[in-house]
Amino acid sequence: PDGILYTRDGALSLDATGILRNRTGFPVLDQGENPIQIGDAASARISINSRGAVSLLDDQGNREEVAQIAVVRVDDTTALSRRSDTTFELEAGIQDEVIEDPQLIVGSVEVANVNMMTEIGQMIANNRLYEVYHKNLKAYSSISEKQEQLGTIS
């Protein structure tokens, strides 16, 4: 990509060269804005904790921290524009701020802030209201036509 892209999507995987990538294939950056490279990824499991630390776990359960995912804050969210899928681009001249003590929710899926049942109910109610108004307009139109056929009294 041309510059840094931002995402909240935590579906990450390793490519064949050991670079940690997001769902769309872009490399995940560390706090130094470098792609996170996992050296011995073939023989170890990867763990990411709630602070964004990337660790390798070997067969004996030993943990070795190898990187820190860059977690940033953008004060003016209107300066973010959707790029593709779940990535966003920050307008030129706007700075992000690295969060020193981030709190990630690991192993969870972010859901929409919309209650589907409520919205479907509201959509049905709006559709019925539209039908009532449309029927009233037809009735007034019909009355107007009848009045024209009868003529006017002088």
Side-chain angles (χ1 to χ4, degrees):
D2 301 329
I4 296 175
L5 297 178
Y6 301 86
T7 185
R8 291 175 59 110
D9 187 0
L12 308 176
S13 62
L14 285 176
D15 68 6
T17 62
I19 294 178
L20 189 62
R21 296 188 179 271
N22 70 0
R23 182 187 320 241
T24 54
F26 296 125
V28 177
L29 304 180
D30 62 13
Q31 290 180 328
E33 297 182 358
N34 299 309
I36 294 176
Q37 176 84 36
I38 308 296
D40 195 20
S43 63
R45 293 176 299 166
I46 297 173
S47 171
I48 300 173
N49 69 16
S50 63
R51 303 219 184 275
V54 180
S55 301
L56 292 178
L57 301 172
D58 63 14
D59 293 335
Q60 289 78 33
N62 298 321
R63 181 181 305 265
E64 176 189 358
E65 189 172 314
V66 294
Q68 174 72 35
I69 294 176
V71 180
V72 299
R73 175 184 301 120
V74 176
D75 289 329
D76 184 10
T77 56
T78 61
L80 291 168
S81 59
R82 185 175 293 274
R83 176 79 181 271
S84 66
D85 200 15
T86 61
T87 58
F88 296 85
E89 189 172 26
L90 193 58
E91 289 178 7
I94 305 295
Q95 294 293 318
D96 59 16
E97 174 187 348
V98 175
I99 299 174
E100 294 300 326
D101 191 23
Q103 291 295 315
L104 304 179
I105 302 173
V106 180
S108 297
V109 177
E110 187 174 43
V111 295
N113 59 353
V114 176
N115 182 334
M116 292 294 283
M117 296 309 293
T118 302
E119 294 302 317
I120 287 174
Q122 186 64 42
M123 186 176 67
I124 291 170
N126 288 340
N127 189 38
R128 288 180 180 159
L129 188 61
Y130 170 79
E131 288 173 351
V132 166
Y133 285 137
H134 185 67
K135 189 174 181 180
N136 284 340
L137 284 172
K138 277 184 151 181
Y140 281 119
S141 177
S142 175
I143 290 172
S144 178
E145 288 174 7
K146 294 291 184 194
Q147 184 180 9
E148 287 175 7
Q149 286 177 357
L150 292 174
T152 56
I153 300 175
S154 330

